[in-house]
Amino acid sequence: AIGQEIVTEKATTVFCGVQSVTAKEYFEAGEQGIRPEYKLTVYAWEYKGEQAVIFRGQRLVVYRTYQVGKDLLELYVAQREGAQ
């Protein structure tokens, strides 16, 4: 009635590869107030522009993506500074 948008979330389970971020990625993201956690590799068709993921029980923000070939996508995920 007051014009506020209601946001709903739907969880989808996908398989991914996991790697640590590089030191360069860690320091460059840190300059922007981002605490990188992981680089997750998923099939490109499974990613629909989600802004957050739950990985190992932790809610993380997708701050960058990178296309690897035509089938794979790297998701760089992090906690924001001040987030718990």
Side-chain angles (χ1 to χ4, degrees):
I2 59 175
Q4 289 183 328
E5 182 179 341
I6 298 174
V7 178
T8 58
E9 293 185 352
K10 178 183 175 193
T12 303
T13 301
V14 298
F15 292 99
C16 68
V18 60
Q19 294 178 310
S20 298
V21 295
T22 63
K24 180 181 179 194
E25 178 78 25
Y26 184 84
F27 287 112
E28 287 178 0
E31 290 176 350
Q32 299 174 18
I34 300 171
R35 291 190 334 221
E37 295 286 333
Y38 304 104
K39 176 175 70 171
L40 305 176
T41 305
V42 299
Y43 287 112
W45 62 83
E46 292 185 313
Y47 181 69
K48 306 286 190 269
E50 291 85 356
Q51 297 177 359
V53 300
I54 297 174
F55 183 69
R56 296 182 176 161
Q58 186 177 27
R59 184 181 177 89
L60 303 166
V61 175
V62 178
Y63 70 90
R64 184 166 85 85
T65 63
Y66 181 76
Q67 186 80 37
V68 181
K70 66 176 186 173
D71 294 331
L72 297 176
L73 189 68
E74 293 175 347
L75 306 179
Y76 290 82
V77 297
Q79 289 186 4
R80 296 279 178 191
E81 283 296 322
Q84 301 264 348

